[in-house]
Amino acid sequence: MTLNSKQRKFLEKNAQPLSPDVLIGGAGVTEAQIAQIDKMLADHELIKVKFNEFKEDKKELTEQIVQKTNSTFVRTIGNVSTLYRPAEKPANRKFENDLKKLEK
C-alpha cells in the first residue's frame, strides 16, 4: 500500500499516543520478532517498533520488517518506526474509511 502525505499524517497522528510494541535489541531482527510484529499488526493495524540496538541500521531493518510482514512504512522518528497494515477482516479495520477519504 502506498500512502500519500495526508494519509501518512493521519496515521502519524493516530500513532503518536502509542507506546512501542516491539523492541529490537542485541539479537537484531529475529524470526520470533517478525512473528510478534506480524501478530501485533493483525491485532492493532498500527504499531511502533523501537530500536534499542542497531540504531544506525534502523532504515534497512525497517525495510526488512516491512517486506516480511507485508506492512506499510509510515515514518521513523528518532529510533522508533511506525508501521501500518489493514486488518484482514474488513469489519475489523479501524482506519480504512478515513484513509479512503484522504486518497484524493
Side-chain angles (χ1 to χ4, degrees), residues 43-88:
D43 292 344
H44 303 288
E45 293 186 301
L46 188 64
I47 68 165
K48 289 182 176 179
V49 177
K50 183 173 183 178
F51 293 89
N52 285 341
E53 302 289 331
F54 301 100
K55 294 174 184 177
E56 63 281 349
D57 299 324
K58 64 186 166 217
K59 184 177 180 181
E60 294 82 15
L61 292 174
T62 300
E63 289 174 16
Q64 179 184 359
I65 293 168
V66 165
Q67 289 175 357
K68 289 186 177 184
T69 61
N70 195 29
S71 59
T72 301
F73 170 74
V74 177
R75 185 172 185 189
T76 297
I77 298 176
N79 295 312
V80 179
S81 293
T82 304
L83 307 176
Y84 169 74
R85 185 178 71 199
E88 289 182 26

Side-chain angles (χ1 to χ4, degrees), residues 16-27:
Q16 197 275 332
L18 300 177
S19 297
D21 297 300
V22 180
L23 301 175
I24 305 298

Side-chain angles (χ1 to χ4, degrees), residues 3 8 14 29 38 44 56 62 71-72 88 97-98 101:
L3 300 172
R8 192 174 306 281
N14 281 278
V29 179
D38 196 53
H44 303 288
E56 63 281 349
T62 300
S71 59
T72 301
E88 289 182 26
N97 289 336
D98 291 319
K101 290 177 189 174

